[in-house]
Amino acid sequence: MGGIRNLAKALAVAVGMSSVALPVWAQESVRIGVTMPLTGNLAFDGQNAVNGMEIAVDAVNDAGGILGRKVELVVLDDKSNPEEGVNAVKRLIADEKVHALATAMTSSVGLAQVDATAGRILHVVVMASAPAITEKGYKNVFRVNTTFASKEQPLLDTIRTRVKSVAMLATNDDYGRGVVDMYKKAWEGDGPKIISEGFVQMNETDLLPYLTRIKFDQPEGLMLSLMSSQLATAMKQAKQIGLNPQVIWTSGGGINPTLLKLGGESVNGLMASDNYVPASTAEANQLFLERLAKRYPDDPAQLYHAVAYDAIMVIAQAMNAAGTADDWQKISEEMHKVSYDSPRGPLTFDEKGQVALEPFLVQVIDGKMVEAK
Amino acid sequence: MPPLDLVLQLIALGLMTGAGYALLALGLTLVFGIMRLINFAHGEFYMLGAFATQLLCVHMGMSYLVAVPLAALGVGVIGYLISLVVIAPLTRQHETAMLLATLGLAYLLMEGVQILLSGEPRNIPTPFQGSIFFLGPIFFTGQQLLTFGLCLTTSLLAAWYVEFTPGGRLMKAVAQNRIGAAVCGINLKAIYNWTFAIGCVLAALAGATLGANSAIYPSIGQHMVIKVFIVLILGGMGSIPGAIAGGLALGLVEALGGGLLSVEYRDGFGYLLLVLTLLLRPQGFFGAGVK
């Protein structure tokens, strides 16, 4: 019995201490429902996104919360599986009674989820970048990541002028197929000839047969729209087997700290486009980096942190401006008026709820991602 | 017609990857043959082998060739303890109890590694990855040759152990008739623990070598275990030559299908081979006939 008494004492002390440390919040907290892949091969990226949201929650709470109420996240695992993702958002709405949603790493999950939440709750899609997500006309749906269509534009324009033939290897999902389709449409007629295209499973670890095949086709350009771990492997193996096209690039946003760490020297020269460079000296980014370093010193800042951070920041701003955390229609109106200085630059939404940010070309030089010249 | 060099290269690649599959399937087939247990956690021991090697190399500064056997041994000890605590106590239950226990174990190990070490993908630093050898127009990477050699030696060793040593004969006896063996005074649980540990060592060896070809993360075992289930059904459940033949066959079909026909249906070619085998020779290449 002594053990239980001691435990009770310890708990009483802990409760006493925490009530001293925390400010007193008015009413119940504002709950934001989050789904990200927390298991499976995208778990690392998913966790980074959640960490980005956590520091945004800290920032919002430090500034007085939403309408004087504390903000908290309710995080569920969507396993980057559309079915799990839809179940998760249904649970967040019905059981967890969340006030808004910030969800989805992959396009497959995001596409399925927005159909399930249409007209029910403010839904900010985080990473999923298939253009269709904000093309469905749902008034409650916004997206803080750029679409791959807009992010790919600088690449489409630049690579067209540099090579005459390309091979493409992409992940076999909505995103990978969407990206390849875009190049095909954009280059039809006068663009570089796409001599081969292949789609690999996300969990495939053995890429040598495809790279060997591509080497025999001798393309001038090679696009590898793959996950970081696959991309690092592919770059190493390409160098190893002597597959050296003039240009190797990955789809927009594909260069991140994980890739640089895994790929080492072999990813030098790789091109992509992006609208976030972690090394940016802009004030909003410096503030964001400071917060990240304080709470998650082991996380090198990457796009996932920044985009997820923005999701929470815009929700907070719109709810404060609307004066409500419950009426999604009012909040949505305010979302369109949001003007916020994000780590990625000044951020606004267009009439479809799509974030408007200008992408630019980036390249790996000496192991670092820099703006390409 | 695809160029001959390409076809030859793909065959070489297929055989090399297939040897890795065979190495991984070897442990699974041993455990199945002797314990009648389908070990769903086999892929997780593959993952543990890869992670242990990575940790020994990166955090303890060991060289790769020292780290691989140490990691395999370490995973073998973990496997022995797991069998002692989780698997062996269930021998008197229905067979499905053991099977379900390994399914739970798979998730426990995968999520455990995810929580302890994070899901961040990482590299196993192997000196053989960068090296490349040519045989005429065909290349082999050093890592592939290492995996191939290891597969060859361990399968010969395993076959020798089972056929020619007293310990191996005990295993065979249990495989042939577990009640009969028990009646003769063979300690079933001891044999099970021993077998399970050997299975884990083989899985860990595969993880340490095949895993070094690409980045590793906690869920890599899930993908691999499906492949070796196919290998086992192709080759015949519980057969050592079957595991080798099945592994090589799957590697070949995947490389040729993926490289020449269609990348996205690569896994599909494996399943197609599986369906054909089940239709034409359900006991597998080397399986005993259906009783």
Side-chain angles (χ1 to χ4, degrees), chain A residues 43 206 210 213 240 261-262, chain B residues 17 114 120 123 129 259 266:
Chain A
D206 179 23
Y210 323 132
R213 166 69 189 271
Q240 200 178 10
K261 195 169 147 196
L262 284 174
Chain B
T17 310
Q114 170 114 26
E120 181 177 11
N123 284 328
Q129 181 65 52
R266 177 180 182 181

Side-chain angles (χ1 to χ4, degrees), chain B residues 163-190:
Chain B
E163 293 296 329
F164 299 109
T165 65
R169 289 202 196 98
L170 292 181
M171 283 183 177
K172 255 182 117 171
V174 172
Q176 281 165 2
N177 186 336
R178 74 158 84 169
I179 296 170
V183 168
C184 294
I186 295 176
N187 184 345
L188 277 188
K189 286 186 182 173

Side-chain angles (χ1 to χ4, degrees), chain B residues 38 65 92 122 125 170 172 185 202 237-238 242 260 271:
Chain B
I38 295 173
L65 283 180
R92 290 187 159 208
R122 45 185 93 204
L170 292 181
K172 255 182 117 171
L202 293 171
M237 306 281 286
L260 295 177
Y271 291 123

Side-chain angles (χ1 to χ4, degrees), chain B residues 139-163:
Chain B
F139 69 79
F140 298 92
T141 71
Q143 190 65 30
Q144 287 177 330
L145 293 175
L146 179 79
T147 312
F148 195 79
L150 201 65
C151 166
L152 216 65
T153 6
T154 42
S155 44
L156 287 175
L157 264 176
W160 167 80
Y161 182 81
V162 172
E163 293 296 329

Side-chain angles (χ1 to χ4, degrees), chain A residues 56-274:
Chain A
V57 166
D58 288 351
V60 171
N61 283 337
D62 286 349
I66 293 176
L67 307 169
R69 292 156 66 181
K70 188 185 172 195
V71 184
E72 61 183 22
L73 302 181
V74 185
V75 184
L76 294 183
D77 184 7
D78 65 32
K79 301 179 182 151
S80 50
N81 172 329
E83 206 176 320
E84 298 269 359
V86 168
N87 286 338
V89 288
K90 284 184 177 162
R91 228 180 92 195
L92 287 168
I93 296 171
D95 301 342
E96 300 289 345
K97 309 266 186 274
V98 297
H99 297 88
L101 291 168
T103 73
M105 173 65 67
T106 61
S107 295
S108 305
V109 171
L111 283 166
Q113 283 180 333
V114 293
D115 287 335
T117 64
R120 295 178 70 184
I121 186 171
L122 176 72
H123 188 169
V124 176
V125 173
V126 182
M127 293 306 306
S129 59
I133 290 174
T134 39
E135 299 287 334
K136 296 191 178 207
Y138 298 141
K139 296 269 174 256
N140 63 320
V141 172
F142 292 80
R143 169 166 42 197
V144 278
N145 197 4
T146 43
T147 65
F148 64 67
S150 82
K151 208 180 257 180
E152 222 58 31
Q153 201 57 50
L155 287 163
L156 282 164
D157 299 340
T158 310
I159 288 163
R160 174 197 278 271
T161 62
R162 294 209 188 162
V163 295
K164 292 199 177 62
S165 61
V166 299
M168 301 190 151
L169 202 57
T171 44
N172 190 14
D173 59 5
D174 286 332
Y175 175 75
R177 288 182 177 275
V179 168
V180 171
D181 263 357
M182 227 175 88
Y183 279 90
K184 273 188 178 159
K185 282 197 192 113
W187 286 351
E188 208 173 7
D190 59 339
K193 188 167 178 268
I194 297 171
I195 49 180
S196 77
E197 57 187 275
F199 298 94
V200 294
Q201 303 301 331
M202 259 209 272
N203 47 16
E204 184 61 80
T205 53
D206 179 23
L207 301 166
L208 272 173
Y210 323 132
L211 296 173
T212 306
R213 166 69 189 271
I214 291 169
K215 190 189 163 194
F216 273 80
D217 290 341
Q218 294 188 317
E220 290 180 13
L222 171 62
M223 181 183 79
L224 299 168
S225 172
L226 305 169
M227 293 194 320
S228 306
S229 57
Q230 281 180 326
L231 181 53
T233 306
M235 289 294 287
K236 272 189 205 166
Q237 295 185 333
K239 294 248 154 93
Q240 200 178 10
I241 66 172
L243 169 60
N244 290 317
Q246 293 166 29
V247 182
I248 304 188
W249 80 101
T250 181
S251 43
I255 298 176
N256 56 46
T258 309
L259 173 78
L260 297 176
K261 195 169 147 196
L262 284 174
E265 274 184 16
S266 61
V267 291
N268 278 338
L270 181 70
M271 284 177 61
S273 67
D274 214 322

Side-chain angles (χ1 to χ4, degrees), chain B residues 6-70:
Chain B
L6 174 60
V7 177
L8 289 175
Q9 180 64 67
L10 289 173
I11 289 175
L13 286 173
L15 288 177
M16 293 291 140
T17 310
Y21 293 159
L23 184 57
L24 184 56
L26 209 56
L28 194 64
T29 211
L30 213 60
V31 167
F32 179 81
I34 290 155
M35 301 168 70
R36 297 279 128 191
L37 167 66
I38 295 173
N39 181 12
F40 279 106
H42 197 67
E44 272 54 50
F45 289 103
Y46 169 90
M47 179 271 294
L48 283 182
F51 270 83
T53 311
Q54 198 269 349
L55 289 177
L56 288 176
C57 287
V58 173
H59 296 283
M60 312 274 287
M62 284 183 195
S63 87
Y64 177 70
L65 283 180
V66 180
V68 171
L70 268 184

